[in-house]
Amino acid sequence: MQAKRNVVWPFLIVFVALLIASPGTAGAGSMTLKVSHQFAAGDVRDQMARVFGDMVTEKTNGEIKFRYYPAKSLYKPKEQWDALRKGALDMSVFPLDYASGKVPQLSITLMPCAVTSVTQGMTWRNKPIGKKVEALMEDNGVKNLVWAWFDGGIGSKTRQIVLPADVKGTKLRAAGKKFEFMLREAGASITSMPSSETYHALSTGVLDTMLTSSASFVSYRLYEVLSYINAPRDYSIWYMAENLILSKTTWERLTPEQQKIFMEVAEEMNANWVVPNFKSLVDKLIAEYTKAGVKIHYMTKAEFDQWLAFAQQTAWPEYAKTVEGGQEYLDLALDAMK
């Protein structure tokens, strides 16, 4: 009898250990989630992740905590998507277009001239285009939490970029596949890279011209290596969704009450945090670039209209033609502008 107990006991230990570790059971209690992104500590995107985490930790009475890995210290920028899908990473502030190589429809979140302001972009969350993008993300193992739209500009070491023809002959980082297509059509030589690598590329001559967000123009100190900037004060052709997103594997580990708290905090930030904290980004850009002696141009309505016409001839039809369901995504994005 004693021998039988000795045989059974190790199996009971293993069974209990597996039960405790099983997602959706006791593993849904106290957790520390890993949050990774490419942006510098203190950047508004880093702040967004930390504010979200602090609110969730408070509302869960410390059950859910967060560990942050800014400045691509855990994963390289584009690696984060697959890490989220596999459940190796819990959360990220992630430019959605970075995943468009694997999910081409996500290029709609960085489509030239298809969003007119941060505030207008934020309306996506309650419109068919936003719902469709979120469903697409979930089909790929990622859950959207907070929509975060960023305006962007065009910086150069060689000349002021005012109209599409001005990019001819430049070595350009376009930020987004459809921007790359459009600006290649205008005569630029395109080099792809995340914004976190652009300072070095500009310094070494790999790039001489680039597009990125107002936040990145400042947080990566690009005013140290640029001579000209077309700043998005009044008009911009470049708006990008860089959302706070969660692995569906992690989502399914949460209890229903924890899931409810995550969505309540996300709604609070969507409604009351994003726009107030993002609307001053271009003002910070202007202040820093003025102080650094960079020559600043402000796009006019007439100039924007020329960019719009060029986008309608290049990037928009290319997306509709080459991406499955592209015309529907494009139509919904344009409907959201009304």
Side-chain angles (χ1 to χ4, degrees), residues 157-179:
K157 295 171 63 176
T158 59
R159 56 182 173 273
Q160 194 67 260
I161 307 298
V162 177
L163 298 172
D166 296 329
V167 305
K168 187 173 182 179
T170 61
K171 294 181 287 186
L172 189 145
R173 185 261 186 179
K177 290 186 178 298
K178 301 314 162 191
F179 271 96

Side-chain angles (χ1 to χ4, degrees), residues 292-323:
V294 178
K295 296 178 181 178
I296 302 174
H297 175 78
Y298 301 112
M299 187 177 290
T300 67
K301 176 67 162 58
E303 291 161 0
F304 174 84
D305 287 343
Q306 289 192 50
W307 282 102
L308 174 60
F310 193 60
Q312 290 170 333
Q313 296 163 16
T314 55
W316 292 12
E318 197 270 343
Y319 177 81
K321 179 181 177 182
T322 62
V323 173

Side-chain angles (χ1 to χ4, degrees), residues 34 36-38 69-84 87-90:
K34 299 189 295 293
S36 168
H37 60 76
Q38 74 189 64
Y69 299 88
K72 56 182 180 181
S73 56
L74 185 61
Y75 289 100
K76 292 180 181 179
K78 293 188 179 182
E79 290 177 352
Q80 294 172 126
W81 181 258
D82 280 343
L84 287 161
L89 175 64
D90 299 301

